[in-house]
Amino acid sequence: MYMAGDSMTANSVTKASFQKKKNGKIAVRFTAIIAACIVVLCTLETVIIVERAKKNVIEQNTTFFQRYAKTNADIIAKTIEEFTSHLDFYTKADVVKTLDTPQIVEWLKEHESVRDERFDYVAWCDAAGGFYSDIGTVTQIPDRDYFKAIMKDGKNFYIDNPVSSKVTGKTVLHICSAVNYGGKNVGFFCGVMNVNRLTVLLDDIDMQGQGAAVLFDGNGAKIAINGDESAIAAFYDAEGNYIMDSGLLGVDGGVDWAADAKGERVLELSSLVKNTPYAMVMNVKSDVILDLSQKITTLMVGFSFL
């Protein structure tokens, strides 16, 4: 027999069940909203931290390699300065005051034994363009850049780009120091050095297989390289001239991004070698620059997921 109390009980149960389901749906929605907010906030936090970390790491590593390039450029400049100071022995000799080329050349030959061993030979260059070495050779150099720099432009010191020697045919550098009387240069002494004496200065640069250090002359031609040459093959033409960004070579502390022969990004940094036409350029692979930021990214993504 159906009783009114049973109907009320059934209705109460139905309402309670309905309310429970309703509350459950609200809880699920609320939880979903909270979860979505957490995911969004964690994602934003990760992106912001990673981007800031990446920026700071790039700036710090760029600064480090800029200093590294400058330090090595300064070492080369200091070494060349030492070569130049050796020429003081010649420019300050009493015989130079005679301005008599035959006497100067005879004195030069007599003092061949005191020549710095790093020089192949030392020569006296007069105002007419005569080039008289301490090994007895004679040639004319009025067409050479170093003659024009000393005798026409009035420079006290000059080192040229590597050229073929008129005396030996080898690739050499001419390190020149002027003799000045009456306010003008009347001649100069020139220490001639095999280019290999300069290239060995790059041997102490350790790129650890992550790039290369390259020494360029003033025309953008490669003098020497230390590091992974294959990774930077795209930066040179068939003659070995630098073609990526010639403007970088003339900038002290220049920075630029480029792609190597493998299509990978590398950071290029330049530093001028003081008192020379040369420039040091370092090419550093991007994964070296971004290594720390990549580790931070991995950690942040992991923590965010947890």
Side-chain angles (χ1 to χ4, degrees):
M1 183 175 183
Y2 180 76
M3 301 294 293
D6 292 338
S7 177
M8 293 178 63
T9 300
N11 289 336
S12 297
V13 171
T14 301
K15 290 181 179 179
S17 178
F18 175 78
Q19 187 64 39
K20 184 177 181 180
K21 290 181 179 180
K22 182 178 179 181
N23 291 341
K25 290 180 179 180
I26 293 174
V28 170
R29 290 178 181 177
F30 184 73
T31 302
I33 293 172
I34 294 298
C37 290
I38 291 175
V39 170
V40 170
L41 291 175
C42 283
T43 300
L44 287 175
E45 179 186 37
T46 300
V47 170
I48 292 172
I49 292 177
V50 167
E51 287 302 315
R52 288 186 177 180
K54 182 178 179 180
K55 181 179 179 181
N56 290 336
V57 168
I58 291 176
E59 289 177 351
Q60 291 175 7
N61 284 341
T62 298
T63 299
F64 169 79
F65 281 106
Q66 279 181 311
R67 291 175 179 172
Y68 192 44
K70 178 173 175 53
T71 296
N72 285 283
D74 288 345
I75 289 174
I76 294 174
K78 185 66 176 179
T79 302
I80 292 174
E81 185 179 330
E82 292 174 1
F83 297 153
T84 307
S85 64
H86 181 70
L87 294 177
D88 290 346
F89 170 76
Y90 299 92
T91 58
K92 295 179 180 179
D94 290 338
V95 70
V96 178
K97 297 177 182 178
T98 67
L99 299 182
D100 182 69
T101 291
Q103 288 189 55
I104 295 173
V105 173
E106 186 62 29
W107 175 89
L108 190 62
K109 293 178 181 179
E110 291 173 355
H111 290 79
E112 179 186 358
S113 61
V114 302
R115 180 210 314 146
D116 189 305
E117 62 179 7
R118 292 167 293 188
F119 289 136
D120 292 346
Y121 50 91
V122 173
W124 162 253
C125 307
D126 62 22
F131 185 95
Y132 307 87
S133 75
D134 60 2
I135 59 175
T137 58
V138 179
T139 188
Q140 297 295 315
I141 58 161
D143 60 322
R144 292 291 200 181
D145 290 343
Y146 57 89
F147 178 82
K148 296 174 183 178
I150 298 291
M151 300 307 299
K152 293 184 178 181
D153 297 338
K155 294 183 180 294
N156 293 321
F157 160 81
Y158 189 77
I159 177 172
D160 65 349
N161 294 314
V163 294
S164 178
S165 170
K166 289 188 175 183
V167 174
T168 66
K170 297 179 180 178
T171 302
V172 297
L173 310 171
H174 296 86
I175 301 175
C176 309
S177 186
V179 174
N180 187 288
Y181 281 113
K184 69 175 185 177
N185 293 339
V186 296
F188 60 95
F189 283 96
C190 182
V192 182
M193 178 184 299
N194 191 293
V195 71
N196 292 334
R197 296 284 187 180
L198 197 59
T199 60
V200 297
L201 297 177
L202 271 68
D203 291 347
D204 293 332
I205 301 176
D206 186 9
M207 300 300 293
Q208 298 182 354
Q210 298 300 321
V214 190
L215 182 65
F216 292 98
D217 70 13
N219 297 320
K222 181 174 55 179
I223 297 176
I225 181 171
N226 186 343
D228 185 4
E229 188 165 8
S230 64
I232 56 174
F235 299 159
Y236 313 102
D237 60 20
E239 287 72 37
N241 296 318
Y242 190 70
I243 59 176
M244 289 302 294
D245 183 1
S246 58
L248 190 68
L249 296 180
V251 179
D252 196 24
V255 179
D256 192 19
W257 284 94
D260 64 16
K262 301 175 183 178
E264 298 177 356
R265 282 170 58 80
V266 296
L267 181 65
E268 297 181 288
L269 308 103
S270 67
S271 184
L272 302 183
V273 180
K274 294 179 181 178
N275 299 318
T276 77
Y278 310 148
M280 170 74 71
V281 174
M282 286 190 172
N283 299 300
V284 187
K285 295 180 180 179
S286 60
D287 55 358
V288 177
I289 302 297
L290 301 175
D291 180 60
L292 181 58
S293 67
Q294 290 170 347
K295 292 179 180 178
I296 293 175
T297 299
T298 301
L299 289 172
M300 287 302 302
V301 171
F303 280 123
S304 295
F305 178 77
L306 290 175

